[in-house]
Amino acid sequence: MSEKVAVFDTTLRDGEQAAGTRLGSREKLMIARQLAQLNVDVIEAGYPNSSPEDFEAVQLICQEIQGPTICALSRAVPDDINACGKAIAKAKRPRIHTGIGASDIHISGKFRDERYGKTLAEKRVKILQMAIDAVKLARQFADDVEFYAEDSGRADLSYLFEMIEAVIQAGATVVNIPDTTGYTVPEQYGCLIRSIRERVPNISRATISVHCHDDLGLAVANTLAGVQNGARQVEGTINGIGERAGNAALEEVVMALRTRGDYFGVHTGIETRELYRTSRLVSDLLGIQVPPNKAVVGGNAFSHSSGIHVDGFLKERTTYEIMLPEHVGISESRVVLTARTGRHGLRDRLKKLGYTLSHHDLNQAYQRFLAVADKKQEVFDEDLLAILRDEIHPLPEVYHLDYLHINSGTSAIPTATVRLKIKDETHQGAAIGDGPVDATYKAISEVTKTSAKLQRYEIRAVTSGTEALGEVTVQLEQDGRKVVGRGASTDVIEASAKAYIDGLNKLASLVPKAGV
Ligand code: KIV
Ligand code: ZN
């Protein structure tokens, strides 16, 4: 039997932190539920001391999610660790992930203040003590404590070994060796992991974890090199989202270990058929598109187009395919639904896509499906997902679009009239703008008396053809908080209005700012 490599997902912490978009607790919980379906070993749910929202989300995930270990991040300071302790109190399998800079660049750059020491040598001593104290304090809240030696990829080796030995002695159960800046190359990173195994005397008492960033496009390769050299936990995010160029894409790491099990000789516990669904959910909720050529989960990852490839593939699929699409959860059949598809057919299809709807939600989705099917001859899975995202609101609606009228053209001043239901009262307003979308957004802002700033606007056709559903994703910012709003319609101005209103509803649902 091959050895198991644990999978540590940090989409909700390292991924969300960098996406520029804050997810609400309910959205985080949706992702956590899907990560549990994917059977990850550890979910890093957030950084509780960073904001009341993060604290609340970690707490909620700890209460609701049963299978995986739930982990919370902290710096090596008591306030952070105490907040983690409180947030994870109800988890069945809690873990605290604490740590501090290990490279001289981090030590002298981040700990400039003289209270950390005057010289680099003095600072190193102080940082080492902070690391030990942090692990000891974290152990008072959880038996499972992971320590990260930040920027290990550029750290002085003897100091790094000393730090790892000391934190294991203090009670760390997992030692994370992050290549925080994505600086290393695979051979070097693999060698680093091997040398930790060879040179840290008490290393057998802890699991080595690898956490790689993708600044040079090497995060997955470095992670795999770490596994080859003895790491038994891999960290990463779904779709590789994360700081700057992102983290190691977990779906790629997992499928590499599975597809090349002959080479790596290890296995994970991941239910790989959930990968595609997880990827789409993360992409949808964070509003970050998956490039079509992305390995494992990209739209083209399993399509063959050149004549020679198609010919070979049709004769024998293994000529050009090293993984089966079904293994990552991409169903081969693209069953097409039409206006004649009944409620049952729709329900079955949605179930296959992973959505079991309540009677009320199914009715709502069905009405919307019929309206779309009337305009389009065929409704694809992607259309259904857009309908679901748009129609089945996880949040109570403060604002609801009742009516939208646009006057626009080559020689007209774009004008929008909107009527909204705001807490059951009807309000109406009009505005002119640089274009129909701008006019619509100005009219909505006026009617809702909100001042959210539009930071990003993206539109895409969900399927092909001029009658395709258009899906609009916006990023709104208000008082330093960012949310993603989404809307779909065969009319792109209506989709734009819905996306904006969805964003306003999300802003309205955020917990007021306060200390933890
Ligand atoms: O990249 C990094 O060093 C991190 C740590 C906080 C684990 O994300
Ligand atoms: Zn990171």
PDB file of all heavy atoms in Angstrom, residues 13-14 73 97 148 150-151 176 178 180 211 213, ligand 1:
ATOM      1  N   ARG A  13      -8.536  30.963   2.693  1.00  0.00           N
ATOM      2  CA  ARG A  13      -7.629  31.882   3.394  1.00  0.00           C
ATOM      3  C   ARG A  13      -6.639  32.497   2.401  1.00  0.00           C
ATOM      4  O   ARG A  13      -6.806  33.621   1.973  1.00  0.00           O
ATOM      5  CB  ARG A  13      -6.921  31.106   4.513  1.00  0.00           C
ATOM      6  CG  ARG A  13      -6.332  31.989   5.600  1.00  0.00           C
ATOM      7  CD  ARG A  13      -4.968  32.546   5.257  1.00  0.00           C
ATOM      8  NE  ARG A  13      -3.969  31.506   5.027  1.00  0.00           N
ATOM      9  CZ  ARG A  13      -2.778  31.770   4.502  1.00  0.00           C
ATOM     10  NH1 ARG A  13      -2.438  32.994   4.161  1.00  0.00           N
ATOM     11  NH2 ARG A  13      -1.905  30.789   4.287  1.00  0.00           N
ATOM     12  N   ASP A  14      -5.648  31.743   1.926  1.00  0.00           N
ATOM     13  CA  ASP A  14      -4.660  32.333   1.009  1.00  0.00           C
ATOM     14  C   ASP A  14      -5.344  32.716  -0.308  1.00  0.00           C
ATOM     15  O   ASP A  14      -4.985  33.710  -0.933  1.00  0.00           O
ATOM     16  CB  ASP A  14      -3.539  31.322   0.725  1.00  0.00           C
ATOM     17  CG  ASP A  14      -2.162  31.964   0.767  1.00  0.00           C
ATOM     18  OD1 ASP A  14      -2.103  33.200   0.823  1.00  0.00           O
ATOM     19  OD2 ASP A  14      -1.145  31.239   0.731  1.00  0.00           O
ATOM     20  N   LEU A  73      -5.747  30.453  10.787  1.00  0.00           N
ATOM     21  CA  LEU A  73      -4.394  31.021  10.672  1.00  0.00           C
ATOM     22  C   LEU A  73      -4.151  32.134  11.688  1.00  0.00           C
ATOM     23  O   LEU A  73      -5.058  32.905  12.005  1.00  0.00           O
ATOM     24  CB  LEU A  73      -4.183  31.595   9.266  1.00  0.00           C
ATOM     25  CG  LEU A  73      -2.755  32.105   9.023  1.00  0.00           C
ATOM     26  CD1 LEU A  73      -1.874  31.008   8.467  1.00  0.00           C
ATOM     27  CD2 LEU A  73      -2.721  33.311   8.104  1.00  0.00           C
ATOM     28  N   HIS A  97      -2.836  27.215  12.853  1.00  0.00           N
ATOM     29  CA  HIS A  97      -1.693  27.347  11.950  1.00  0.00           C
ATOM     30  C   HIS A  97      -1.014  28.660  12.302  1.00  0.00           C
ATOM     31  O   HIS A  97      -1.535  29.728  11.993  1.00  0.00           O
ATOM     32  CB  HIS A  97      -2.237  27.369  10.510  1.00  0.00           C
ATOM     33  CG  HIS A  97      -1.200  27.278   9.440  1.00  0.00           C
ATOM     34  ND1 HIS A  97      -1.511  27.496   8.112  1.00  0.00           N
ATOM     35  CD2 HIS A  97       0.118  26.998   9.472  1.00  0.00           C
ATOM     36  CE1 HIS A  97      -0.428  27.340   7.387  1.00  0.00           C
ATOM     37  NE2 HIS A  97       0.580  27.059   8.183  1.00  0.00           N
ATOM     38  N   TYR A 148       4.239  27.526  10.434  1.00  0.00           N
ATOM     39  CA  TYR A 148       4.821  27.897   9.131  1.00  0.00           C
ATOM     40  C   TYR A 148       6.047  28.768   9.329  1.00  0.00           C
ATOM     41  O   TYR A 148       6.026  29.728  10.085  1.00  0.00           O
ATOM     42  CB  TYR A 148       3.795  28.590   8.217  1.00  0.00           C
ATOM     43  CG  TYR A 148       3.245  29.917   8.705  1.00  0.00           C
ATOM     44  CD1 TYR A 148       3.910  31.115   8.438  1.00  0.00           C
ATOM     45  CD2 TYR A 148       2.044  29.981   9.408  1.00  0.00           C
ATOM     46  CE1 TYR A 148       3.395  32.337   8.862  1.00  0.00           C
ATOM     47  CE2 TYR A 148       1.527  31.197   9.845  1.00  0.00           C
ATOM     48  CZ  TYR A 148       2.205  32.362   9.577  1.00  0.00           C
ATOM     49  OH  TYR A 148       1.704  33.563  10.010  1.00  0.00           O
ATOM     50  N   GLU A 150       7.764  31.173   7.490  1.00  0.00           N
ATOM     51  CA  GLU A 150       7.489  31.958   6.278  1.00  0.00           C
ATOM     52  C   GLU A 150       8.775  32.255   5.494  1.00  0.00           C
ATOM     53  O   GLU A 150       9.822  32.518   6.063  1.00  0.00           O
ATOM     54  CB  GLU A 150       6.805  33.275   6.687  1.00  0.00           C
ATOM     55  CG  GLU A 150       6.072  33.924   5.537  1.00  0.00           C
ATOM     56  CD  GLU A 150       5.365  35.208   5.958  1.00  0.00           C
ATOM     57  OE1 GLU A 150       5.494  35.614   7.135  1.00  0.00           O
ATOM     58  OE2 GLU A 150       4.706  35.804   5.098  1.00  0.00           O
ATOM     59  N   ASP A 151       8.654  32.207   4.190  1.00  0.00           N
ATOM     60  CA  ASP A 151       9.769  32.456   3.266  1.00  0.00           C
ATOM     61  C   ASP A 151      10.916  31.462   3.468  1.00  0.00           C
ATOM     62  O   ASP A 151      12.089  31.814   3.314  1.00  0.00           O
ATOM     63  CB  ASP A 151      10.268  33.914   3.407  1.00  0.00           C
ATOM     64  CG  ASP A 151      11.022  34.380   2.150  1.00  0.00           C
ATOM     65  OD1 ASP A 151      10.832  33.792   1.069  1.00  0.00           O
ATOM     66  OD2 ASP A 151      11.820  35.330   2.265  1.00  0.00           O
ATOM     67  N   ASN A 176       5.257  23.512   8.256  1.00  0.00           N
ATOM     68  CA  ASN A 176       4.981  23.983   6.902  1.00  0.00           C
ATOM     69  C   ASN A 176       6.205  24.753   6.412  1.00  0.00           C
ATOM     70  O   ASN A 176       6.696  25.641   7.101  1.00  0.00           O
ATOM     71  CB  ASN A 176       3.730  24.878   6.963  1.00  0.00           C
ATOM     72  CG  ASN A 176       3.345  25.434   5.609  1.00  0.00           C
ATOM     73  OD1 ASN A 176       3.895  25.054   4.579  1.00  0.00           O
ATOM     74  ND2 ASN A 176       2.386  26.359   5.612  1.00  0.00           N
ATOM     75  N   PRO A 178       6.936  27.029   3.641  1.00  0.00           N
ATOM     76  CA  PRO A 178       6.408  27.763   2.488  1.00  0.00           C
ATOM     77  C   PRO A 178       7.504  28.380   1.618  1.00  0.00           C
ATOM     78  O   PRO A 178       8.480  28.925   2.118  1.00  0.00           O
ATOM     79  CB  PRO A 178       5.591  28.892   3.130  1.00  0.00           C
ATOM     80  CG  PRO A 178       5.520  28.597   4.574  1.00  0.00           C
ATOM     81  CD  PRO A 178       6.681  27.732   4.902  1.00  0.00           C
ATOM     82  N   THR A 180       7.160  31.167   0.055  1.00  0.00           N
ATOM     83  CA  THR A 180       6.211  32.281   0.083  1.00  0.00           C
ATOM     84  C   THR A 180       6.264  33.149  -1.170  1.00  0.00           C
ATOM     85  O   THR A 180       5.252  33.686  -1.613  1.00  0.00           O
ATOM     86  CB  THR A 180       6.519  33.137   1.337  1.00  0.00           C
ATOM     87  OG1 THR A 180       6.478  32.266   2.467  1.00  0.00           O
ATOM     88  CG2 THR A 180       5.529  34.259   1.529  1.00  0.00           C
ATOM     89  N   HIS A 211       4.055  24.294   0.814  1.00  0.00           N
ATOM     90  CA  HIS A 211       3.136  25.402   0.507  1.00  0.00           C
ATOM     91  C   HIS A 211       3.874  26.301  -0.492  1.00  0.00           C
ATOM     92  O   HIS A 211       4.788  27.026  -0.123  1.00  0.00           O
ATOM     93  CB  HIS A 211       2.833  26.131   1.820  1.00  0.00           C
ATOM     94  CG  HIS A 211       1.969  27.341   1.681  1.00  0.00           C
ATOM     95  ND1 HIS A 211       0.709  27.437   2.235  1.00  0.00           N
ATOM     96  CD2 HIS A 211       2.173  28.533   1.066  1.00  0.00           C
ATOM     97  CE1 HIS A 211       0.189  28.614   1.980  1.00  0.00           C
ATOM     98  NE2 HIS A 211       1.066  29.315   1.266  1.00  0.00           N
ATOM     99  N   HIS A 213       4.112  29.029  -3.846  1.00  0.00           N
ATOM    100  CA  HIS A 213       3.473  30.085  -4.648  1.00  0.00           C
ATOM    101  C   HIS A 213       4.015  30.040  -6.077  1.00  0.00           C
ATOM    102  O   HIS A 213       5.072  29.471  -6.351  1.00  0.00           O
ATOM    103  CB  HIS A 213       3.662  31.442  -3.972  1.00  0.00           C
ATOM    104  CG  HIS A 213       2.687  31.633  -2.853  1.00  0.00           C
ATOM    105  ND1 HIS A 213       1.472  32.251  -3.022  1.00  0.00           N
ATOM    106  CD2 HIS A 213       2.721  31.223  -1.556  1.00  0.00           C
ATOM    107  CE1 HIS A 213       0.813  32.239  -1.871  1.00  0.00           C
ATOM    108  NE2 HIS A 213       1.557  31.617  -0.958  1.00  0.00           N
TER     109      HIS A 213
HETATM  110  O1  KIV B   1       2.841  31.883   1.700  1.00  0.00           O
HETATM  111  C1  KIV B   1       2.949  31.810   2.938  1.00  0.00           C
HETATM  112  O2  KIV B   1       4.046  31.849   3.511  1.00  0.00           O
HETATM  113  C2  KIV B   1       1.730  31.684   3.698  1.00  0.00           C
HETATM  114  C3  KIV B   1       1.852  31.388   5.169  1.00  0.00           C
HETATM  115  C4  KIV B   1       0.994  32.307   5.970  1.00  0.00           C
HETATM  116  C5  KIV B   1       1.553  29.950   5.409  1.00  0.00           C
HETATM  117  O3  KIV B   1       0.641  31.751   3.162  1.00  0.00           O
END
